[in-house]
């Protein structure tokens, strides 16, 4: 083995380890490293126009800015859109990306336009009312795209690959404005701020924050002297003053961006859980983190106490008004959970994906 390839091999091992944790969370439904699926299981209660369908296979969910539409992207490269109040299917299935290439991220630019990124190395724009593509796909990336952001002018986008290629580009012309290389470990501890102007990444023991508009590094901190448990996933607070990291222990670790120090950590599980996907409400009052035992833990940023734990959760998202947490339940339903009164399922509706 060549010594020069050691960092690359270690990176792949780290990536594969994290992927296995995520595939475990979705009951072995996917292997993210190779972007392949296990054999689909037929569910007798699921059918659509006489066709057999497989379990959901969703990777990401998001609400439109008004909260009227929920869009889900799948590991098959398809997306669906549901009316958030009734659960009626409004869009889909639409083959948005190449078949069997995971849709990694869906982001609304406006109420009527959203972006989707995928492992097929592209970012695409969509009309949220009709499900029709807007213009051509953005194809300047050389690797699988894992995150996408819209900047405040709504005319500029940023996207990043799992290999750390950051591109800033025009939504209308698809012209690349600037580019940079970001040091990343896989793509879990990697996040854009809500306004798209900042990017945080962690590689090994170094935390970095980037100015996205200028594609330049603005902060770099060596975490080795006070290294927390393995940082698995990241999300900014709405004002970008803090970053919440899901960790390799049972806690969410809080990073103060201005002070460049860890503020504290919040224990969110009584089990020896590894926290994965992490998300903050638009109003900044709640943070949710998934666990490798298939649970979603929700805690308050005010009291720093656990609010509720939801079971059997797949991909999840908060509603635009921060009042509900929605996730894939039992592989066949979208479960909408009100958080104000900390109740269990408010209502759920059947979802399905065509073979």
């Amino acid at each position: 083995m060549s010594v020069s390839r050691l960092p690359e091999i270690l990176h792949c091992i780290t990536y594969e380890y994290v992927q296995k944790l995520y595939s475990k969370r979705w009951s072995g439904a996917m292997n993210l490293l190779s972007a392949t699926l296990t054999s689909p299981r037929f569910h007798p209660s699921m059918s659509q126009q006489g066709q057999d369908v497989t379990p959901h296979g969703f990777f990401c969910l998001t609400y439109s800015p008004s909260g009227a539409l929920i869009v889900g992207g799948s590991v098959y490269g398809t997306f669906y859109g549901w009316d958030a109040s009734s659960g009626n299917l409004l869009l889909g299935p639409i083959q948005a990306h190449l078949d069997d290439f995971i849709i990694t991220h869906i982001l609304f630019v406006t109420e009527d336009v959203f972006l989707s990124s995928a492992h097929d190395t592209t970012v695409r724009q969509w009309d949220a009312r009709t499900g029709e593509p807007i213009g051509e796909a953005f194809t300047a990336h050389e690797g699988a795209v894992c995150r996408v952001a819209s900047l405040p002018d709504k005319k500029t986008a940023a996207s990043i690959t799992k290999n750390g290629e950051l591109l800033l580009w025009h939504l209308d012309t698809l012209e690349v404005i600037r580019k940079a290389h970001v040091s990343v470990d896989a793509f879990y501890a990697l996040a854009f701020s809500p306004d798209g102007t900042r990017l945080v990444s962690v590689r090994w023991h170094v935390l970095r924050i980037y100015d996205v508009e200028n594609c330049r590094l603005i902060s770099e901190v060596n975490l080795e002297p006070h290294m927390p448990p393995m940082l698995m996933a990241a999300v900014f607070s709405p004002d970008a003053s803090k970053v919440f990291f899901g960790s390799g222990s049972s806690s969410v670790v809080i990073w103060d961006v201005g002070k460049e120090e860890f503020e504290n950590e919040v224990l969110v599980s009584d089990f020896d859980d590894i926290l994965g996907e992490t998300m903050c409400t638009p109003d900044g009052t709640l943070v949710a983190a998934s666990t490798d035992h298939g649970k979603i833990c929700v805690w308050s940023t005010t009291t720093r106490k656990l609010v509720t734990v939801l079971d059997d959760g797949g991909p999840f998202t908060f509603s635009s008004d921060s009042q509900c947490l929605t996730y894939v339940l039992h592989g066949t339903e979208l479960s909408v959970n009100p958080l104000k009164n900390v109740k269990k399922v408010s209502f759920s509706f059947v979802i399905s994906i065509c073979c």
Side-chain angles (χ1 to χ4, degrees):
M1 179 185 70
S2 169
V3 175
S4 64
R5 292 194 62 232
L6 185 59
E8 175 188 349
I9 293 169
L10 290 175
H11 173 83
C12 291
I13 292 172
T14 303
Y15 185 61
E16 183 175 11
Y17 174 66
V18 175
Q19 303 292 31
K20 286 180 179 178
L21 294 177
Y22 268 65
S23 64
K24 179 180 178 182
R25 174 181 157 216
W26 287 311
S27 304
M30 64 189 87
N31 182 322
L32 302 184
L33 182 62
S34 60
T36 59
L37 303 177
T38 58
S39 299
R41 297 172 295 161
F42 175 69
H43 193 290
S45 67
M46 296 194 299
S47 64
Q48 187 173 32
Q49 297 179 349
Q51 296 178 316
D52 294 344
V53 294
T54 63
H56 65 82
F58 283 108
F59 189 82
C60 56
L61 292 174
T62 192
Y63 276 81
S64 66
S66 72
L69 185 68
I70 303 172
V71 177
S74 81
V75 297
Y76 303 94
T78 54
F79 73 74
Y80 292 68
W82 298 271
D83 178 88
S85 60
S86 68
N88 292 332
L89 183 66
L90 301 178
L91 301 172
I94 292 174
Q95 194 67 51
H97 293 266
L98 295 180
D99 190 26
D100 287 351
F101 280 80
I102 299 170
I103 294 181
T104 55
H105 195 193
I106 290 176
L107 177 83
F108 276 84
V109 179
T110 66
E111 185 68 22
D112 297 328
V113 177
F114 67 85
L115 305 176
S116 64
S117 63
H119 276 189
D120 66 359
T121 76
T122 69
V123 179
R124 299 173 186 267
Q125 301 179 61
W126 302 94
D127 187 317
R129 298 163 299 179
T130 65
E132 295 292 325
I134 299 173
E136 299 296 323
F138 179 69
T139 60
H141 281 296
E142 296 181 358
V145 185
C146 57
R147 294 288 186 270
V148 62
S150 171
L151 273 68
D153 63 7
K154 306 299 181 184
K155 297 178 181 179
T156 312
S159 46
I160 187 167
T161 68
K162 68 181 183 67
N163 298 319
E165 181 186 43
L166 172 65
L167 298 180
L168 187 73
W169 48 281
H170 284 295
L171 283 167
D172 291 335
T173 66
L174 307 184
E175 177 189 0
V176 175
I177 305 168
R178 296 184 184 89
K179 60 183 177 180
H181 180 77
V182 174
S183 187
V184 299
D185 273 333
F187 60 78
Y188 293 108
L190 179 73
F192 285 105
S193 61
D195 65 1
T197 62
R198 293 291 182 267
L199 176 71
V200 63
S201 73
V202 176
R203 178 169 174 77
W204 302 114
H205 56 272
V206 179
L207 184 150
R208 297 175 176 89
I209 294 180
Y210 296 84
D211 173 352
V212 175
E213 292 174 296
N214 296 294
C215 288
R216 66 180 181 88
L217 178 67
I218 57 176
S219 179
E220 183 175 290
V221 181
N222 186 351
L223 303 179
E224 199 166 23
H226 48 279
M227 188 66 184
M230 183 168 42
L231 301 179
M232 301 292 293
V235 65
F236 275 96
S237 62
D239 63 0
S241 65
K242 303 183 190 305
V243 181
F244 305 107
F245 289 101
S247 76
S249 65
S250 302
S251 61
V252 171
V253 180
I254 305 170
W255 175 259
D256 188 303
V257 174
K259 295 180 181 178
E260 294 193 349
E261 63 184 20
F262 287 108
E263 185 174 303
N264 79 38
E265 60 183 60
V266 179
L267 185 69
V268 298
S269 174
D270 293 331
F271 300 97
D272 185 21
D273 283 322
I274 294 176
L275 302 185
E277 182 180 5
T278 306
M279 192 169 293
C280 185
T281 52
D283 66 6
T285 60
L286 298 171
V287 172
S290 63
T291 78
D292 61 327
H293 287 97
K295 299 180 183 296
I296 301 173
C297 302
V298 185
W299 58 276
S300 167
T301 58
T302 304
T303 65
R304 304 292 166 88
K305 293 182 179 179
L306 193 65
V307 173
T308 189
V309 177
L310 303 172
D311 295 324
D312 194 24
F316 65 91
T317 187
F318 285 110
S319 59
S320 302
D321 61 5
S322 304
Q323 297 302 305
C324 295
L325 187 147
T326 299
Y327 65 97
V328 179
L329 176 68
H330 305 309
T332 59
E333 296 176 314
L334 280 183
S335 174
V336 181
N337 298 263
L339 296 168
K340 184 176 181 180
N341 298 318
V342 197
K343 295 178 180 177
K344 285 295 184 181
V345 178
S346 171
F347 69 89
S348 61
F349 43 88
V350 174
I351 61 175
S352 55
I353 288 185
C354 294
C355 292

